[in-house]
């Protein structure tokens, strides 16, 4: 745990800054809101009105049902080994085609945060993270389980996650509208630069080789532009296959690389098989008063860290959870308790990863820019439903936007119920051996891919990307940057073309427009930062540690 | 000699992808910076990918790294083969949903470990029942269920 200590020093310094930013942000919004209300109709702020609309939408029976289905499936995936949220969302996308946009997106969102919630159950009970975001929970969660305190660990994890989810939802409601306002000012140049920044940030946070991650992004961008060119009508790289003139389906890419390739990797390692693992018994769920007292601080700090990491482009929940663990260990009076079942080590990271899972919807819903593989899939889902992702979603489809936000909060509440009283059901699922599980998963993927266009071509492509993904992972290339690039490819090309057309071919347009220039400078700084030997070393330490625990 | 096989092969892969896209773009009009043709964006990206691939491949000689874990051909081929089999059986061969599901699950399970015919057969029938109810009956996906239906 040496690297933990080292990065702890660093964390402590930035944490104060983060708190200051959060406090300032809250104060600014309270102030702005106060002015707005004082000027206009009193006692009814815009946010309140919007949230009211959201809850009316989210509490409709259909939306409630799909929110529940999403959370349920998400938890199931979180508990089941060897299948992640990306593959599941890709698998279930075709099912949502028949639904109206709002319940479809509510369900997909539910799967995502449900999975980040449910992954903690296996971490605590069997010392195996159901999702990569719960690797940190294994450290102290499992030790608590060994001491017969699995129940309190699960309860605190659920409560922390619920608190974090609530804060995350409020933040989306607060930050969404002003960010969308800002995004309306964006022209083609700003959009292009923002995508560059998003992709660079994704690379910085990817583990492993920097060059390989960039090359994976470029590969994704290239694969993304396969198909008919919008401007000239020329079909690019279609090899005479008529299905390819519409482009490669992103569902096939996601299913292949995150579904089939993952399954082969799991079979190889046999790690995913939990049938032989030793289980911790769940006796009583109720945490003691002492547990509560110890957990309040970590939950609040973890939530703050998680919200920040969620909004930043390219970061994922693992980093949030890991930073929170490091921070708690640093702040603890007896750091030696960590690793031996300290409840702070469960409360903090669990809150952090759930907060990050919520707030990463902010850039998606306001700017139309995905920050990770799951968000890239959400963009795809929106496009299929005929919604162009971007700031106009909020103004043109307020019921969808606010309905989704309200449903996230409701979903978080459902998750507490799903995870605590029903824990014995999940334990049952945990005992299914992997060799029984994976053919079913593959079959669902096949049916899903086929029903995209009722054609076997998508099934073949999914298999092809599975093979590609397997080879790529053997050679140390991660699939997430590729999927991100894949979704952004056509958008980037279009905005680049438009920006250059407006500027009459002058590439300086990206530097003379202030917002665009600022984004490019941040992107350059990020790249420069990890090239510096000192920070590079730290990055490798943190990322390998969070991978390997 | 190659001291870092992961980097070397990844580099070759990226060189092939980047080079392929850049070469493929030769067929299309390039256009100008003001009015970019369909070849402009892929040519730039393909060339950068090619260069990054080259750098990665060279690093395979200059750096040392652990060898990639050996390829497990059995699960890889059986699982992806079973997926392609499903596509073939459903679409061009018109065997129908039932046959495709059973054949696919058994082939897929064969790629795993501790395979037994009895277990695979029972599992495929259970999965068929679940998938038929969920996808064909409730969601109404347009599958031909039997070859004659």
């Amino acid at each position: 745990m040496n690297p933990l200590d080292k990065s702890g020093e660093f964390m402590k310094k930035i944490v104060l800054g983060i708190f200051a930013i959060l406090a300032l942000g809250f104060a600014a919004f309270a102030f702005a809101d106060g002015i707005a209300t004082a000027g206009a109709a009193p006692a009814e702020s815009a946010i309140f009105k919007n949230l009211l609309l959201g809850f009316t939408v989210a509490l409709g029976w259909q939306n409630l049902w799909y929110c529940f289905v999403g959370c349920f499936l998400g938890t199931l995936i979180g508990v089941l080994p060897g299948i992640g949220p990306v593959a599941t969302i890709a698998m279930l996308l075709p099912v949502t085609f028949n639904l109206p946009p709002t319940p479809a997106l509510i369900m997909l969102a539910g799967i995502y945060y449900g999975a980040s919630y449910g992954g903690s159950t296996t971490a605590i009970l069997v010392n195996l993270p159901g999702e990569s975001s719960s690797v940190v929970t294994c450290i102290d969660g499992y030790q608590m389980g060994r001491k017969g305190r699995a129940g309190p660990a699960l309860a605190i994890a659920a409560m922390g996650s619920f608190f974090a989810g609530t804060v995350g939802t409020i933040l989306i409601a607060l930050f969404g509208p002003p960010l969308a306002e800002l995004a309306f000012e964006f022209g083609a140049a700003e959009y292009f630069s923002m995508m560059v920044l998003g992709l660079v940030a994704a690379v910085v946070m990817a583990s492993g080789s920097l060059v390989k991650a960039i090359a994976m992004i470029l590969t994704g961008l290239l694969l993304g532009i396969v198909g008919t060119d919008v401007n000239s009508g020329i079909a690019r790289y279609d090899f005479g296959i008529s299905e390819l003139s519409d482009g490669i389906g992103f569902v096939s890419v996601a299913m292949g690389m995150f579904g089939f390739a993952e399954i082969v990797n799991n079979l190889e390692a046999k790690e995913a098989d939990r049938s032989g693992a030793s289980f911790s018994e769940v006796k009583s769920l109720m945490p003691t008063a002492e547990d509560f007292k110890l957990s309040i601080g970590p939950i609040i700090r973890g939530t703050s860290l998680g919200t920040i990491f969620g909004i930043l482009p390219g970061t994922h929940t693992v980093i949030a959870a890991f930073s929170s663990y490091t921070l708690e260990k640093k702040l603890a009076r007896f750091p030696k308790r960590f690793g031996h079942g300290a409840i702070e080590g469960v409360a903090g990271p669990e809150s952090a990863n759930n907060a990050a899972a919520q707030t990463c919807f902010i850039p998606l819903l306001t700017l139309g820019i995905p920050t990770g593989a799951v968000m890239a899939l959400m963009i795809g889902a929106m496009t299929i439903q005929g919604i162009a992702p971007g700031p106009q979603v909020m103004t043109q489809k307020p019921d969808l936007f606010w309905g989704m936000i309200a449903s996230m909060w409701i979903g978080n509440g459902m998750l507490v119920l799903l995870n605590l009283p029903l824990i014995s059901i999940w334990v049952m699922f945990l005992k299914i051996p992997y060799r029984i599980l994976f053919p079913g998963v593959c079959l669902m993927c096949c049916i899903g891919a086929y029903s995209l266009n009722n054609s076997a071509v998508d099934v073949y492509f999914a298999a092809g990307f599975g093979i590609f993904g397997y080879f790529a992972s053997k050679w140390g290339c991660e699939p997430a940057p590729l999927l991100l690039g894949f979704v952004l490819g056509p958008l980037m090309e279009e905005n680049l073309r438009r920006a250059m057309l407006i500027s009459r071919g002058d590439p300086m347009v990206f530097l003379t427009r202030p917002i665009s220039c600022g984004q490019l400078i941040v992107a350059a700084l990020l790249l420069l930062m990890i090239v510096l030997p000192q920070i590079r070393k730290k990055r490798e330490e943190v990322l390998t540690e969070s991978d390997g625990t | 000699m190659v001291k870092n096989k992961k980097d070397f092969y990844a580099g070759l892969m990226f060189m092939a992808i980047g080079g392929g896209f850049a070469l493929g773009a030769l067929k299309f009009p390039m256009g100008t910076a003001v009015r970019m043709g369909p070849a402009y964006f892929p040519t730039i990206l393909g060339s950068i990918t090619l260069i990054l691939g080259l750098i990665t491949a060279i690093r395979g000689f200059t750096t040392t790294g652990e060898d990639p874990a050996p390829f497990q051909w059995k699960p890889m081929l059986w699982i992806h083969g079973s997926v392609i089999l499903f596509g073939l059986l459903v679409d061009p061969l018109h065997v129908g949903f039932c046959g495709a599901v059973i054949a696919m699950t058994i082939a897929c399970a064969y790629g795993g470990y501790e395979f037994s015919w009895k277990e695979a057969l029972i599992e495929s029938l259970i999965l068929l029942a679940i998938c038929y109810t969920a996808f064909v009956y409730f969601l109404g996906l347009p599958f031909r269920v039997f070859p004659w239906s």
Side-chain angles (χ1 to χ4, degrees):
Chain A
M1 285 299 139
N2 245 350
L4 279 177
D5 295 331
K6 274 185 256 163
S7 34
E9 266 319 314
F10 168 69
M11 290 306 313
K12 207 171 177 180
K13 277 177 203 154
I14 63 166
V15 133
L16 279 172
I18 288 171
F19 277 124
I21 294 167
L22 259 190
L24 269 178
F26 273 122
F29 279 106
F31 185 63
D33 204 49
I35 290 174
T37 9
E44 206 183 42
S45 72
I47 286 169
F48 180 73
K49 220 158 85 191
N50 286 328
L51 279 178
L52 199 68
L53 168 71
F55 277 103
T56 346
V57 173
L59 287 171
W61 67 269
Q62 191 190 25
N63 291 333
L64 262 183
W65 167 246
Y66 283 106
C67 181
F68 172 79
V69 171
C71 291
F72 181 84
L73 287 173
T75 314
L76 186 66
I77 292 139
V79 172
L80 292 179
I83 165 166
V86 182
T88 319
I89 291 178
M91 198 162 87
L92 291 173
L93 257 182
V95 174
T96 64
F97 288 177
N98 302 328
L99 296 176
T102 313
L105 290 172
I106 283 178
M107 180 173 136
L108 295 174
I111 294 176
Y112 175 52
Y113 54 80
S116 85
Y117 217 107
S120 57
T121 308
T122 51
I124 291 167
L125 292 182
V126 264
N127 199 21
L128 287 164
E131 264 343 293
S132 56
S133 57
S134 12
V135 279
V136 187
T137 313
C138 283
I139 308 172
D140 275 290
Y142 184 61
Q143 289 304 324
M144 282 185 73
R146 292 291 296 275
K147 289 179 181 160
R149 307 211 321 122
L154 287 168
I156 286 289
M159 285 169 204
S161 294
F162 180 66
F163 175 79
T166 311
V167 172
T169 311
I170 294 171
L171 282 179
I172 299 177
L174 281 175
F175 281 84
L179 257 178
E181 287 290 313
L182 182 73
F184 272 122
E185 311 280 306
F186 280 19
E190 281 81 12
Y191 264 107
F192 180 80
S193 306
M194 187 163 64
M195 287 184 242
V196 172
L197 173 60
L199 290 175
V200 166
V203 165
V204 174
M205 289 301 165
S207 60
S209 155
L210 184 67
V211 182
K212 280 187 209 165
I214 297 176
M216 279 305 258
I217 282 188
L218 291 170
T219 307
L221 289 170
L222 283 167
L223 290 170
I225 58 168
V226 168
T228 310
D229 170 37
V230 203
N231 289 25
S232 62
I234 294 176
R236 289 185 284 188
Y237 310 105
D238 67 341
F239 300 104
I241 303 169
S242 62
E243 278 87 351
L244 270 186
S245 60
D246 293 336
I248 301 170
F250 72 96
V251 172
S252 306
V253 180
M255 251 178 210
M257 301 197 70
F258 290 86
F260 300 140
E262 263 313 295
I263 286 173
V264 178
N265 276 327
N266 286 329
L267 282 175
E268 213 172 292
K270 285 194 193 172
E271 255 174 22
D273 203 328
R274 290 155 189 200
S275 48
S278 61
F279 283 83
S280 306
E281 289 291 320
V282 183
K283 285 169 200 147
S284 149
L285 283 170
M286 200 57 204
T288 61
E290 167 95 37
D291 289 339
F292 277 117
K293 227 172 80 191
L294 281 170
S295 304
I296 289 172
I299 287 175
I300 293 171
R301 285 186 292 266
T303 304
S304 324
L305 272 176
T307 47
I308 303 284
F309 278 108
I311 300 169
L312 295 179
T315 46
H316 41 112
T317 46
V318 190
I319 311 272
F322 182 76
S323 323
S324 164
Y325 188 83
T326 316
L327 175 73
E328 289 316 320
K329 198 177 172 188
K330 208 71 213 166
L331 291 178
R333 200 178 297 164
F334 305 106
K336 288 226 169 94
R337 281 177 42 245
F338 279 75
H340 302 282
I343 196 149
E344 301 98 303
V346 175
E350 276 303 310
S351 314
N353 88 43
N354 208 50
Q358 296 294 324
T359 52
C360 66
F361 279 93
I362 294 180
L364 175 86
L365 289 172
T366 56
L367 309 174
I369 295 294
T371 53
V374 177
M375 293 300 117
L377 274 181
M378 293 295 290
I379 291 254
M382 287 171 101
T383 321
I384 289 175
Q385 291 282 359
I387 304 162
Q392 70 283 353
V393 173
M394 193 180 300
T395 45
Q396 284 169 8
K397 296 198 178 294
D399 51 326
L400 174 96
F401 181 87
W402 295 104
M404 235 179 118
I405 289 173
S407 88
M408 284 179 185
W409 190 72
I410 296 170
N412 270 290
M414 285 182 184
L415 283 170
V416 175
L417 297 179
L418 274 175
N419 275 273
L420 293 183
L422 298 180
I423 186 73
S424 50
I425 297 179
W426 306 118
V427 172
M428 218 170 67
F429 275 112
L430 259 167
K431 289 178 176 161
I432 303 177
Y434 195 59
R435 66 167 201 280
I436 304 283
L437 205 65
F438 82 88
V441 174
C442 288
L443 177 65
M444 303 273 184
C445 282
C446 286
I447 296 175
Y450 182 84
S451 52
L452 275 178
N453 297 311
N454 284 317
S455 120
V457 175
D458 291 298
V459 182
Y460 305 144
F461 268 102
F465 276 102
I467 296 169
F468 171 62
Y470 178 68
F471 278 91
S473 73
K474 280 278 181 221
W475 297 329
C477 305
E478 276 191 278
L482 184 135
L483 194 64
L484 209 54
F486 183 82
V487 169
L488 289 179
L491 283 173
M492 254 184 123
E493 184 182 24
E494 200 191 315
N495 282 297
L496 175 68
R497 277 176 165 176
R498 209 180 288 159
M500 293 296 271
L501 190 66
I502 296 167
S503 74
R504 293 170 194 281
D506 181 12
M508 288 307 284
V509 66
F510 296 107
L511 298 178
T512 46
R513 298 186 60 134
I515 299 179
S516 158
C517 181
Q519 287 166 330
L520 287 180
I521 289 175
V522 175
L525 282 178
L526 276 176
L527 272 181
L528 203 70
M529 246 171 65
I530 41 174
V531 178
L532 291 177
Q534 222 176 346
I535 298 174
R536 189 177 179 161
K537 219 175 126 210
K538 176 82 69 197
R539 167 180 170 267
E540 273 160 20
E541 249 168 35
V542 170
L543 287 169
T544 43
E545 184 74 21
S546 63
D547 272 353
T549 24
Chain B
M1 264 322 284
V2 181
K3 284 182 286 184
N4 189 338
K5 284 194 180 136
K6 277 187 182 176
D7 275 11
F8 179 70
Y9 289 119
L12 289 188
M13 179 180 82
F14 289 128
M15 280 167 76
I17 294 169
F21 271 96
L23 281 180
L26 290 176
K27 289 198 291 195
F28 317 125
M30 190 70 176
T32 59
V34 185
R35 286 185 185 282
M36 291 181 186
Y40 205 99
F41 198 59
T43 308
I44 298 174
L45 292 183
S47 316
I48 303 173
T49 314
L50 182 73
I51 295 167
L52 290 179
L54 190 67
I55 296 172
T56 315
I58 291 172
R59 283 200 349 199
F61 292 100
T62 55
T63 58
T64 42
E66 55 190 68
D67 281 2
F71 285 95
Q72 302 276 326
W73 296 105
K74 190 188 157 200
M76 210 237 359
L77 292 175
W78 277 98
I79 284 168
H80 292 106
S82 75
V83 172
I84 293 169
L85 180 74
F86 179 86
L88 287 173
L89 289 178
V90 168
D91 215 19
L93 298 177
H94 293 300
V95 170
F97 188 72
C98 286
V101 166
I102 291 174
M104 188 267 163
T105 15
I106 293 177
C108 192
Y110 190 77
Y113 49 96
E114 291 173 36
F115 174 81
S116 91
W117 278 100
K118 209 175 102 189
E119 196 181 84
L121 199 63
I122 295 171
E123 189 188 356
S124 71
L125 289 174
I126 294 173
L127 282 172
L128 176 65
I130 295 173
C131 289
Y132 178 80
T133 337
F135 294 106
V136 182
Y137 187 78
F138 277 113
L139 289 168
L141 297 184
F143 276 106
R144 181 201 295 255
V145 181
F146 298 106
W148 54 85
S149 55

